[in-house]
Amino acid sequence: MPVAQWDDIVIGSGLTGACVARTLADAGRQVLMVERGQPVSEPAGSHLRNRSDYRKDPDGWFGTVDRYVTYLDSDADDPALPGAYTSSIVGGSGILWTNNCPRATAGLDQPDHLQEREWEEAYRQAEIYLDVRREEFADSRRASVIRAALQDTLSEQGRSLCHLPLAGRRLGPETIHYSAPADVLAAGSRRVTRLDGSAERLELNGNQVSGVWVGETLHTTHHVVLATGAVDAPLMLWRSGIANPALGRHLSFHPVLATQVVLDEGSIAVSENDPLPRLGIPATPSHPWFVMVLRDTNPLPVDPSDLAVPPHRLVEIQAFGPIDPHPDNRMWLDGSGAVHFDVPIRPTDQERLNAIESDVMGLVQGLGRLRRGCEPRWSPPGTAHLMGSCRMGAEDGTSVTNQNGTLHGFEGVDIAGNAVIPTRLLVNPTLTSLALAIHGQRARLS
Ligand SMILES: Cc1cc2nc3c(=O)[nH]c(=O)nc-3n(C[C@H](O)[C@H](O)[C@H](O)COP(=O)(O)OP(=O)(O)OC[C@H]3O[C@@H](n4cnc5c(N)ncnc54)[C@H](O)[C@@H]3O)c2cc1C
């Protein structure tokens, strides 16, 4: 094999690209990271929310996010996933995310191809790279009040509340340094070179990758990792002439039911310096969805008649209703290069979404009242956590990569990120995607 310019080329500078590049750089390899977007934060790839102007206006956050993403399906006549988006900025969605990092649960939604010990090692490394902290807000008085209000009902249902793991650290009672790709790369960046430009396609020599075309230039390598997000990974493979019957199928996502609650006045005597409440209700077999109860950012428009609520009495509930990764849930490209989606809500999905609505209303009643204008509302389909477009699994026509993320039938082409998740994941996916990516790259290097 001819000598290549780079040990590895990672396409995408989001959280996945950063964790993969860091894993490879920590093993002594020289990595080229290709990113089509421009920096919009300083240093490049740091979280935008760490800026003081965004800290002052937490509820404006989703408006800011909208400025940095491109919706793909919203102009279609009958959009299936109007919320599906890509980001083209240095750091990808990793400079926009809200940093909640629960682990998936063994036997419930965790992919079962790794041993318990392998999951533990991979999750722990991902948590180290992201600086995930479980109990950063454990002394929140509001969190104790919420626990006391919900505990009995939840335990009757076999459920419980936990601290919500956060990728970041507390700087003050209500101030957080949010982890982003720049933090992941900080310690390993000397071996990672970022190249601005759009990766157009892979150069293949038979079934072995030999490089990546960026504009008119071929950058040579024997190992490429596509960390381009769940939409762009299949697009890159199709553009490179790689077909696979499972490509773009088995899509899943999380419809998010969001609301804001005004905590009962009687129950909530707290000081203004009380740390933020940040709690989660893990999924169980009887309640297969994840709920967050936290004060973070409110995506809903508050009715002007209900603006005058003391901030320390406000809390958001967000519940993720997973969609089954049915083989016919798919995305594809038309002749003009436009992306289309077909991801219907099937009856079993709808039943679960109905149950989530009842569950959330029960939680609201335990805590206080709905803030006017912030009644529970589902986000547009596809907004959160598109998964499975290049799912991992056995080489039997139902999956795209093996269990380390390597493309079936090819050598040196790996896919990492939410695209490879094969299960109906119930929790926010990023930590699990990163754990799978780190495990896959370490397995390759060993
Ligand atoms: C507002 C918001 C809140 C969120 N909150 C959470 C949360 O609390 N917990 C959680 O788990 N997840 C959350 N997420 C989801 C999380 O951000 C994503 O799962 C994660 O960031 C995906 O990272 P990624 O690196 O795989 O993909 P991306 O962040 O999409 O990065 C892909 C990168 O690849 C680049 N790229 C694509 N194609 C090419 C190409 N051809 N050439 C060069 N570059 C290319 C893109 O420009 C982009 O920078 C949230 C997302 C948003 C938007």
Side-chain angles (χ1 to χ4, degrees):
M1 246 192 289
V3 176
Q5 292 166 287
W6 298 96
D7 292 332
D8 314 272
I9 297 182
V10 176
I11 308 176
S13 68
L15 289 163
T16 307
C19 280
V20 166
R22 176 76 193 273
T23 304
L24 296 166
D26 283 354
R29 298 174 68 86
Q30 293 294 340
V31 182
L32 180 68
M33 175 186 272
V34 183
E35 171 54 54
R36 68 184 172 192
Q38 293 299 308
V40 296
S41 55
E42 175 59 42
S46 58
H47 208 300
L48 266 183
R49 244 182 135 179
N50 293 337
R51 267 176 36 182
S52 57
D53 45 343
Y54 292 125
R55 280 197 177 121
K56 278 184 210 135
D57 177 23
D59 291 339
W61 182 242
F62 282 94
T64 303
V65 169
D66 269 349
R67 298 217 304 268
Y68 293 107
V69 299
T70 305
Y71 292 98
L72 298 164
D73 202 26
S74 53
D75 292 338
D77 290 341
D78 185 15
L81 295 186
Y85 67 88
T86 57
S87 51
S88 294
I89 43 181
V90 172
S93 303
I95 71 165
L96 304 171
W97 70 320
T98 45
N99 294 51
N100 301 299
C101 278
R103 293 183 179 193
T105 307
L108 193 60
D109 61 338
Q110 199 174 73
D112 60 8
H113 64 277
L114 301 191
Q115 308 286 324
E116 198 184 324
R117 178 186 51 78
E118 293 173 316
W119 268 118
E120 181 56 36
E121 278 173 17
Y123 268 136
R124 210 171 32 208
Q125 185 60 64
E127 286 165 350
I128 290 170
Y129 284 162
L130 291 179
D131 193 17
V132 172
R133 295 160 187 237
R134 284 167 203 274
E135 305 207 349
E136 199 67 347
F137 290 87
D139 55 341
S140 164
R141 166 95 181 96
R142 280 170 288 178
S144 318
V145 168
I146 292 166
R147 273 178 185 282
L150 298 181
Q151 179 153 285
D152 288 352
T153 314
L154 289 174
S155 77
E156 275 165 27
Q157 299 169 345
R159 301 162 81 196
S160 56
L161 280 148
C162 64
H163 297 298
L164 188 57
L166 168 79
R169 60 180 192 279
R170 176 168 144 186
L171 302 177
E174 300 215 334
T175 320
I176 293 170
H177 173 88
Y178 294 95
S179 300
D183 302 280
V184 176
L185 283 174
S189 55
R190 273 180 300 128
R191 290 180 183 276
V192 180
T193 304
R194 203 185 78 231
L195 173 71
D196 294 338
S198 185
E200 301 303 332
R201 62 187 170 83
L202 307 180
E203 177 74 7
L204 296 163
N205 186 359
N207 68 349
Q208 164 71 55
V209 74
S210 53
V212 176
W213 285 96
V214 181
E216 302 289 302
T217 309
L218 177 65
H219 298 265
T220 59
T221 185
H222 303 305
H223 179 228
V224 175
V225 183
L226 270 61
T228 47
V231 172
D232 280 292
L235 301 190
M236 170 71 72
L237 295 179
W238 280 322
R239 279 204 303 270
S240 306
I242 295 172
N244 176 307
L247 200 52
R249 291 186 173 273
H250 296 95
L251 292 184
S252 175
F253 70 95
H254 286 146
V256 183
L257 186 65
T259 186
Q260 197 179 45
V261 178
V262 181
L263 295 169
D264 265 347
E265 201 151 12
S267 61
I268 184 80
V270 294
S271 76
E272 281 184 9
N273 285 330
D274 186 46
L276 294 165
R278 296 184 64 92
L279 297 167
I281 305 176
T284 62
S286 65
H287 292 74
W289 52 85
F290 184 64
V291 185
M292 305 193 301
V293 184
L294 75 174
R295 178 64 185 120
D296 181 24
T297 171
N298 173 26
L300 302 171
V302 181
D303 189 283
S305 66
D306 211 2
L307 285 172
V309 179
H312 66 273
R313 287 184 55 211
L314 294 172
V315 72
E316 291 93 45
I317 299 179
Q318 290 182 29
F320 299 125
I323 294 300
D324 287 331
H326 192 283
D328 291 341
N329 289 1
R330 66 185 189 110
M331 56 175 279
W332 72 95
L333 275 180
D334 69 17
S336 73
V339 189
H340 298 272
F341 298 93
D342 183 13
V343 187
I345 304 288
R346 297 187 162 75
T348 45
D349 296 322
Q350 190 57 57
E351 248 175 65
R352 202 179 304 116
L353 299 184
N354 295 345
I356 291 172
E357 288 182 6
S358 312
D359 184 36
V360 165
M361 280 316 294
L363 297 172
V364 171
Q365 276 157 21
L367 291 175
R369 68 167 177 87
L370 289 173
R371 195 176 194 193
R372 286 191 289 284
C374 304
E375 294 76 16
R377 192 177 304 176
W378 290 102
S379 58
T383 305
H385 311 156
L386 196 62
M387 295 171 270
S389 55
C390 302
R391 73 201 301 249
M392 52 172 51
E395 194 168 0
D396 58 4
T398 66
S399 67
V400 175
T401 80
N402 72 13
Q403 294 173 336
N404 290 330
T406 304
L407 199 60
H408 289 314
F410 288 83
E411 279 176 38
V413 184
D414 293 349
I415 301 173
N418 300 341
V420 301
I421 288 182
T423 49
R424 191 189 72 200
L425 198 73
L426 306 180
V427 287
N428 325 50
T430 307
L431 188 73
T432 298
S433 293
L434 299 184
L436 287 171
I438 290 166
H439 176 82
Q441 292 310 309
R442 284 180 165 179
R444 190 176 183 281
L445 291 169
S446 64

